[in-house]
Amino acid sequence: MAGRGRGRPRDSGISERALAAARELLVQRGFDATTIQAVAERAGVHASALYRRWPSRIELIEEATFPGLSPQAVHPTGNLRDDLLRFVRAYTEAFSQPAARASAVGLLAHHQTSRRTHPPELYLRISARPQFQDILSAAPPGSVDPDLDANDAFTMLLSAVLAHTLLANTATQHLTPECIVEMTLRILRPSWPGPL
Amino acid sequence: MAGRGRGRPRDSGISERALAAARELLVQRGFDATTIQAVAERAGVHASALYRRWPSRIELIEEATFPGLSPQAVHPTGNLRDDLLRFVRAYTEAFSQPAARASAVGLLAHHQTSRRTHPPELYLRISARPQFQDILSAAPPGSVDPDLDANDAFTMLLSAVLAHTLLANTATQHLTPECIVEMTLRILRPSWPGPL
């Protein structure tokens, strides 16, 4: 809170400056060029200050590009279709930011080769499963199959959002947020005849 | 046909040797090292012979690593669940081959930067939509919602297979072929009450 004053740039947090510098570098120079040293130079801080905050550039880039969804984007109203649409739109928008687009493939490549250390953290970062669960909990009775594992439905939604973002203009150009929501609603609906 | 004799290596097709060499290079040395020149050297052919067959290494790598599904993997029997399971397993297996895993992220990165030329071809290559449509057509009446756009269901399935393969061990470790099939069946089932 105390560091938020606009008039005194030196007081603004080192972390915030580093995260902003990382986003700029990703967009302007790409994933490979976004090193700790380059971020430090652009942010005007010592590299050692960044290493105190992040173990490597990977964690810094992940925090810079996948900050999570804003609370108002996911606060459920009880209208399942509307809530899911706001959720998927916010999700797609977050993944479509220039810095996120510039880092996504690099992060995937990194995690494919050093799989053991980081992926769970990245997954927690890109996963909005608790918010999805909140939306389902607020839905009217009978609109969500109680026998369904919400986890499975969420992962289908996440896969569609990722594919829509990573494969934009190709495989998934028709996989709009509206379409993802319709498919998710089909997954969620109770079986016929219902199990109850 | 004439070139298939095993006893005369010089008669075996240049294309087949180049595709095999590309797969070896991808697995052993990675995407960046799999250049036309490196493939030519390993296959024992002239680079010019490869350029006559493929415009660039990208098309060569795509053909080497995403050859399509085998016909027996997708020939429908009329049992929708079994057919989908064989289909998703064959799909997942194709994407999980070492050479495909080694090329997938590199291809994604390439297509993110030069989006206009190649993606449709890659999409045709990774898309098994006609086979999916064949499976739906063979399903018993009433098991597939006639109002559903099969295209949307297929893209959800493809997204899940891609996420399962690219994000293996992380976001989607529970997204097994069995789980993808259950989710696809939920998407496909007719609405209640039925529209007819």
Side-chain angles (χ1 to χ4, degrees):
Chain A
M1 299 262 183
R4 292 218 178 167
R6 284 219 152 206
R8 300 176 62 194
R10 278 176 183 278
D11 282 351
S12 72
I14 288 177
S15 296
E16 282 67 27
R17 280 149 64 199
L19 294 170
R23 285 189 286 269
E24 290 172 15
L25 279 168
L26 283 164
V27 172
Q28 293 168 15
R29 296 180 50 204
F31 182 79
D32 291 340
T34 307
T35 61
I36 287 280
Q37 191 57 48
V39 172
E41 282 171 20
R42 181 168 291 230
V45 301
H46 286 289
S48 58
L50 303 188
Y51 280 118
R52 276 197 293 276
R53 288 165 172 80
W54 296 281
S56 79
R57 74 189 191 107
I58 297 297
E59 291 81 1
L60 167 57
I61 289 172
E62 287 177 356
E63 185 171 340
T65 54
F66 295 104
L69 302 183
S70 71
Q72 65 269 32
V74 293
H75 187 72
T77 67
N79 182 317
L80 182 58
R81 184 184 305 264
D82 288 355
D83 286 349
L84 285 174
L85 188 55
R86 271 187 312 132
F87 177 72
V88 171
R89 279 186 178 148
Y91 224 155
T92 307
E93 195 178 324
F95 283 19
S96 301
Q97 293 302 307
R101 297 185 72 96
S103 76
V105 171
L107 290 175
L108 275 179
H110 170 82
H111 290 311
Q112 277 213 331
T113 50
S114 63
R115 196 167 276 153
R116 301 201 173 266
T117 336
H118 301 299
E121 194 194 343
L122 177 63
Y123 177 48
L124 289 178
R125 207 167 268 293
I126 66 173
S127 171
R129 205 193 313 168
Q131 292 93 321
F132 182 73
Q133 187 60 63
D134 286 349
I135 288 173
L136 298 197
S137 300
S143 53
V144 177
D145 187 344
D147 285 348
L148 174 69
D149 184 343
N151 217 10
D152 294 339
F154 173 73
T155 310
M156 291 294 288
L157 182 153
L158 174 60
S159 300
V161 169
L162 282 171
H164 176 69
T165 312
L166 289 177
L167 303 177
N169 289 354
T170 64
T172 53
Q173 58 190 165
H174 65 96
L175 211 57
T176 59
E178 289 77 8
C179 176
I180 294 174
V181 167
E182 291 311 316
M183 294 297 109
T184 303
L185 287 170
R186 295 186 72 93
I187 289 173
L188 293 173
R189 67 204 153 124
S191 299
W192 176 66
L196 290 180
Chain B
M1 298 263 181
R4 293 220 177 166
R6 285 221 151 206
R8 300 178 61 194
R10 277 174 184 277
D11 283 350
S12 72
I14 289 176
S15 296
E16 282 67 26
R17 279 148 65 198
L19 295 170
R23 285 189 287 267
E24 290 172 16
L25 279 169
L26 283 164
V27 172
Q28 292 168 15
R29 297 181 50 203
F31 182 79
D32 291 340
T34 307
T35 61
I36 287 280
Q37 190 56 47
V39 171
E41 283 170 19
R42 182 169 290 229
V45 301
H46 286 290
S48 58
L50 302 188
Y51 279 117
R52 277 197 293 276
R53 288 165 172 80
W54 296 281
S56 79
R57 72 188 193 107
I58 297 297
E59 291 81 2
L60 167 56
I61 289 172
E62 287 177 355
E63 185 170 340
T65 54
F66 296 104
L69 301 183
S70 71
Q72 66 267 31
V74 294
H75 187 73
T77 67
N79 181 318
L80 183 58
R81 184 184 305 264
D82 289 354
D83 286 349
L84 284 174
L85 188 54
R86 271 186 312 131
F87 177 72
V88 171
R89 279 186 177 148
Y91 224 156
T92 308
E93 196 177 326
F95 283 20
S96 302
Q97 294 301 308
R101 298 185 71 95
S103 75
V105 171
L107 290 175
L108 276 181
H110 170 81
H111 290 310
Q112 277 214 330
T113 50
S114 64
R115 197 166 275 154
R116 301 204 171 263
T117 336
H118 300 300
E121 194 195 343
L122 176 63
Y123 177 49
L124 289 178
R125 207 166 269 294
I126 66 173
S127 172
R129 205 193 313 169
Q131 292 93 321
F132 182 74
Q133 188 59 63
D134 286 347
I135 288 174
L136 299 197
S137 300
S143 52
V144 176
D145 186 344
D147 284 346
L148 174 69
D149 183 344
N151 217 11
D152 294 340
F154 172 74
T155 310
M156 290 295 288
L157 183 153
L158 173 61
S159 300
V161 169
L162 281 171
H164 176 70
T165 312
L166 289 177
L167 303 177
N169 289 353
T170 64
T172 53
Q173 59 189 165
H174 66 95
L175 210 56
T176 60
E178 289 77 8
C179 176
I180 294 174
V181 168
E182 292 309 317
M183 294 298 109
T184 304
L185 287 169
R186 295 186 71 94
I187 290 173
L188 294 173
R189 68 205 152 124
S191 299
W192 175 68
L196 291 181

